[in-house]
Amino acid sequence: MRKKLLALSVIIVLISAIAGYWVFRQIFKHNTAFTGVSKVVFIDQSMEVDALTAILEADSIIQNTHSFEITCTIKRFSKFTKPGRYEIKRGASNQQIVNMFRIGNQSPVKVRFGAEKSLEQLAGKLGKILRPDSIEFLMAIRNLTADPELALNE
């Protein structure tokens, strides 16, 4: 009886160790599919993890979507609410990618302008670099110049 109990406990410990190693590998293994140094992804505000996974898979950023979803489940990451520009480096693990999205660790966008001669050209350049459309930028700039409290000329 003791031998059976000992054998059963050894089997349980062995199965637990294998399962633990499998979960560890799912979270900490490299899961990037691109060959460059990094890849940039833009995230909209109203996005669930399923939509985020679809974007990462469509842009060939992650190799294994199943392990990414497992990591999201383990880390209780179900709803994504921080929009922005995220840079994923080659060789990043699922944990690094999920943590970056959870805390909103966005990469900065460098914008340099000065040669634009009109508001339309400025709005067009900003629309190419940043997420909002050039028309939205143009409307915002015109609203700033029309408001006497926010007068830019004074």
Side-chain angles (χ1 to χ4, degrees), residues 26-32 56 62 68 71 75 77 86-105:
Q26 295 300 313
I27 295 173
F28 293 105
K29 73 177 180 177
H30 300 298
N31 196 23
T32 52
L56 294 176
I62 58 175
F68 182 75
T71 305
K75 296 182 88 47
F77 178 60
Y86 292 89
E87 183 177 4
I88 299 173
K89 299 195 185 307
R90 181 177 42 142
S93 67
N94 285 324
Q95 180 193 19
Q96 292 170 331
I97 296 170
V98 170
N99 285 345
M100 179 182 61
F101 288 133
R102 280 179 72 186
I103 63 174
N105 189 11

Side-chain angles (χ1 to χ4, degrees), residues 14-126:
L14 188 61
I15 290 173
S16 298
I18 291 171
Y21 178 74
W22 181 80
V23 169
F24 176 80
R25 290 283 299 154
Q26 295 300 313
I27 295 173
F28 293 105
K29 73 177 180 177
H30 300 298
N31 196 23
T32 52
F34 53 90
T35 57
V37 175
S38 64
K39 210 157 191 188
V40 174
V41 61
F42 288 96
I43 304 298
D44 291 332
Q45 188 167 2
S46 60
M47 187 169 293
E48 299 285 327
V49 172
D50 295 336
L52 174 64
T53 305
I55 287 174
L56 294 176
E57 183 180 26
D59 290 347
S60 299
I61 294 175
I62 58 175
Q63 290 175 345
N64 189 348
T65 57
H66 182 66
S67 67
F68 182 75
E69 290 170 351
I70 289 172
T71 305
C72 289
T73 303
I74 290 171
K75 296 182 88 47
R76 294 184 179 98
F77 178 60
S78 61
K79 187 164 185 162
F80 184 77
T81 58
K82 294 177 179 136
R85 176 185 186 266
Y86 292 89
E87 183 177 4
I88 299 173
K89 299 195 185 307
R90 181 177 42 142
S93 67
N94 285 324
Q95 180 193 19
Q96 292 170 331
I97 296 170
V98 170
N99 285 345
M100 179 182 61
F101 288 133
R102 280 179 72 186
I103 63 174
N105 189 11
Q106 303 165 8
S107 59
V109 178
K110 296 179 182 176
V111 179
R112 192 186 319 182
F113 54 89
E116 290 72 25
K117 295 181 175 148
S118 67
L119 291 178
E120 290 79 13
Q121 288 178 346
L122 175 63
K125 183 166 185 175
L126 291 175

